[in-house]
Amino acid sequence: MSLFNVFNVAGSALNAETIRLNTTASNLANAESVNGDESKVYRARHPVFQTMMNTDEAGFDGQAAAVGVRVLGVVESKAPATMRYQPDHPLANKDGYVFMSNVNSIEEMTNMISANRSFATNVEAINTARDLLLKTIAMGH
Amino acid sequence: MFENIFGIHEQALLLHGQRIGVLATNMANADTPNFKARDIDFSEVLAGTDDSARLAMSTTQASHIAMNNAESAGGELKYRNPFQASLDGNTVEMPVEQAAFSENNVRYQASLMFINSKIAELQFVIAGQ
């Protein structure tokens, strides 16, 4: 019964979007993090989504009709960390520089809105599938 | 008498149920790079269920294997043509998917309603009152 697949598919998307929201929260929290060593400074993290093609469900006409999404991994941004001359800073290196994290707050905010919308859409899909299933179960009453 | 009592709605209900899964997949993968949105061509599948629309194979000897095409709905999943290409190769357009999803939802409920009224009709006839 393919209607039950909607719960798996939309559920996997909810999980992936939650991870995306978590990385956004982590990035925003560390937006002002500084370090005296460029290699140790916080770098923005972003999840990489991938379609789960290896599903057991045969689905529509032999093709996997309902396939979910998963987070393949989390990559760190390669954008350069901003240098700031602050010789009085306790973490400043011997030349008087500190390195700021490369998090772009605006980018993170738009990412958060996008994840929020996707999450809401998938919740709606689950609600619809549930309503239809309940109506189908009540058939003939 | 009772084999085709619900008409097209029995198959339509199954098909719309499958289409919900396909559309949910599209929406779940709205942020997946290189994912291509797919959909079921309803009219093509509908044409496939009509025996007169194709050349039927007839069995003239007992050893012939009967070809029953009506059992499996024809057609296949097709890739959607996006209105605007996106840089990450993803062809899911959320408003299109949401519109298709709610349309499919209404059609599913319509088929369900037709089946329900048929059942009510039969119950009325059986009870004879």
Side-chain angles (χ1 to χ4, degrees), chain B residues 8-65:
Chain B
I8 192 80
H9 297 294
E10 194 181 330
Q11 273 128 22
L13 202 67
L14 286 172
L15 192 66
H16 286 131
Q18 275 172 330
R19 191 164 178 231
I20 288 178
V22 176
L23 295 174
T25 300
N26 289 348
M27 290 195 287
N29 285 286
D31 301 310
T32 312
N34 291 318
F35 179 82
K36 308 295 179 204
R38 297 176 302 175
D39 200 357
I40 296 171
D41 189 346
F42 189 79
S43 53
E44 188 190 86
V45 180
L46 202 64
T49 56
D50 184 11
D51 279 339
S52 59
R54 74 176 88 210
L55 288 172
M57 291 179 83
S58 55
T59 52
T60 51
Q61 280 184 22
S63 56
H64 283 172
I65 298 168

Side-chain angles (χ1 to χ4, degrees), chain A residues 34 83-93 95-98 100:
Chain A
V34 292
M83 274 169 79
R84 189 181 285 177
Y85 185 62
Q86 274 187 331
D88 53 340
H89 198 286
L91 287 174
N93 63 8
D95 300 323
Y97 284 100
V98 286
M100 310 282 296

